[in-house]
Amino acid sequence: MTEKPTTAKEMAQVETIIGRILQIGVIVSAIIMAVGLVLFLVTGQSGYPGSTVPTSMQTILTGVIQFRPYAIMMLGVYCLILTPVLRVIVSIYAFYREKDRLYVAITTAVLVILIVALVIGVYGK
């Protein structure tokens, strides 16, 4: 049983999906950050003492549940950072469907680099 080759129409659909992921990611991030900014402007409080800001995902999620403006804005930033990571993952799938092993390998290497950078950013102090 052989697989049929990926058609130009299928690849155009994948490219459309990738574009939509980027659009939706940016819009969702902007909305989340805007909610945090409005909450900050209305309350005049960051939700944290002094110049403290939430940095760990647990602190951010706890702050979001408590409607702390800085935590909400940080969640928006994290969503914005993760948007291109999701795009890379979808690209790996697209190259796999095209049976383009070289680009699957290159894009997978990019994903590994992004994940390592995120881990260093979160845990490296």
Side-chain angles (χ1 to χ4, degrees), residues 38-120:
V38 167
L39 191 57
F40 174 72
L41 294 174
V42 167
T43 64
Q45 304 279 331
S46 69
Y48 296 93
S51 61
T52 306
V53 293
T55 53
S56 72
M57 188 52 76
Q58 180 181 357
T59 308
I60 291 170
L61 293 177
T62 302
V64 168
I65 292 169
Q66 298 170 346
F67 292 105
R68 293 183 176 190
Y70 275 16
I72 295 171
M73 287 187 275
M74 286 298 293
L75 180 65
V77 170
Y78 270 93
C79 288
L80 189 62
I81 290 170
L82 292 176
T83 298
V85 175
L86 184 57
R87 186 236 189 265
V88 170
I89 292 169
V90 173
S91 295
I92 291 171
Y93 170 75
F95 292 134
Y96 173 78
R97 291 281 305 195
E98 286 182 349
K99 297 182 179 30
D100 193 339
R101 292 182 182 156
L102 176 62
Y103 280 106
V104 168
I106 292 170
T107 312
T108 302
V110 169
L111 180 62
V112 168
I113 291 168
L114 287 171
I115 290 171
V116 167
L118 287 171
V119 168
I120 290 171

